[in-house]
Each structure stands twice: as structure tokens, then as C-alpha cells.
Amino acid sequence: MFTLQTFHQVAARLITTACLLGNLHSQAQPAPQLHLTRTKLSAGMHVMDVQLAQTPEQRQIGLMSRKDMPQHEGMLFVFEQPAMQCFWMRNTLIPLTAAFVEDDGTIVNLADMKPQSDDSHCSAKPVRFVLEMNAGWFAKRQIKAGYKIRGDVFTR
């Protein structure tokens, strides 16, 4: 039998559960990653100071929650082996351009990505590296597919 007291107990549990789920949802957006290992890359005379996202968790968080990023900075996603890499921008607050990069540093293709979008942006072929910079960084420097980026992480 369902009494008024039982109803109040069930309602209280539902409210508690809803509050807990709401707290989990609000905490789901991770804090910005600001202290990852860094390396220098160059594209001709242009030097980039990039964070290395090397673990699955670091790659999953990426540049989420960043409100801004200096023009000379970016993030290099490093994968264990070449594969078709696809990126989206959920919880990413700044517009970015992704360069999908081969082992030797050659850019395969570029993709401009809008903030807070679930649109998928993929490499044109299997790659191990994806370099994210502020939107337009590559275009302003006339860097396109086929251009070679230099850095210790790339094979010669």
C-alpha cells in the first residue's frame, strides 16, 4: 500500500538523486589543463610553444574549458599509432584550427573548428599527431596541407 508517508520518502529520494546528478553534470566539465609537458615546434620562422596531450585522459580533455590561449601556444595530441583521428569541440570555449600531422611533421589537412560544437573534424588519412592552434593561426601564416612542421617529436 502506498501511503502519504511513503510518497514523501520516495519524493525526497528523487529530489536527492536529482540534486546529485545535477552536481555531477556541473562538475563534468574538466578544469583547463595548464601544466602539461611542453615542447617547441616551428613552422618556418614561426615558433610554437605547445602542450603535449599524450595520455588518453589528457587527449580527452584537450583544450576544454580554456577561455583564451596566447597566439604562439597550442596543444599537440600524440597518439600511439597512426589512425583516422576525429576531433570535436564539446566544452571547448575558443575557436581552433586542427592540423592533422604525419610522423615526419607534414600537415595532411587542416580543419577550422567552432567552439562548443559536436561537429566531427577528421584527418584525411591515418596520423599520429594533431596540432590545435587558435583559429586562423595557420591561415594567417599561409601554412597549408603539405607544409612541414619541425620539432623533436617528429621523425626526420
Side-chain angles (χ1 to χ4, degrees), residues 28-62:
Q29 189 166 337
Q33 299 185 102
L34 302 174
H35 303 290
L36 297 180
T37 301
R38 291 180 176 270
T39 191
K40 299 281 188 201
L41 301 177
S42 63
M45 64 182 207
H46 308 286
V47 177
M48 296 162 274
D49 178 20
V50 299
Q51 292 180 289
L52 297 174
Q54 302 178 86
T55 68
E57 182 179 315
Q58 290 170 347
R59 291 189 299 256
Q60 182 178 356
I61 295 170

Side-chain angles (χ1 to χ4, degrees), residues 29-30 60-61 63-65 87-93 114-119:
Q29 189 166 337
Q60 182 178 356
I61 295 170
L63 290 168
M64 286 183 184
S65 304
F87 280 55
W88 62 353
M89 297 282 285
R90 181 179 294 167
N91 297 327
T92 305
L93 307 175
K114 294 180 181 163
Q116 300 185 13
S117 169
D118 286 347
D119 294 344

Side-chain angles (χ1 to χ4, degrees), residues 33-151:
Q33 299 185 102
L34 302 174
H35 303 290
L36 297 180
T37 301
R38 291 180 176 270
T39 191
K40 299 281 188 201
L41 301 177
S42 63
M45 64 182 207
H46 308 286
V47 177
M48 296 162 274
D49 178 20
V50 299
Q51 292 180 289
L52 297 174
Q54 302 178 86
T55 68
E57 182 179 315
Q58 290 170 347
R59 291 189 299 256
Q60 182 178 356
I61 295 170
L63 290 168
M64 286 183 184
S65 304
R66 295 276 303 257
K67 293 182 180 162
D68 56 26
M69 184 169 62
Q71 282 300 308
H72 70 286
E73 290 187 13
M75 183 171 283
L76 182 67
F77 296 78
V78 182
F79 294 88
E80 289 77 18
Q81 58 191 15
M84 295 299 289
Q85 306 298 343
C86 293
F87 280 55
W88 62 353
M89 297 282 285
R90 181 179 294 167
N91 297 327
T92 305
L93 307 175
I94 55 177
L96 300 169
T97 300
F100 298 93
V101 184
E102 293 184 281
D103 283 358
D104 69 352
T106 302
I107 297 174
V108 172
N109 63 297
L110 297 163
D112 290 328
M113 304 186 297
K114 294 180 181 163
Q116 300 185 13
S117 169
D118 286 347
D119 294 344
S120 188
H121 305 277
C122 300
S123 58
K125 66 182 196 178
V127 296
R128 280 188 52 228
F129 301 99
V130 180
L131 174 60
E132 288 184 344
M133 299 291 290
N134 283 300
W137 189 92
F138 296 98
K140 286 178 191 170
R141 291 155 183 84
Q142 300 180 346
I143 296 171
K144 301 176 181 183
Y147 197 95
K148 199 167 212 172
I149 297 173
R150 306 259 183 237

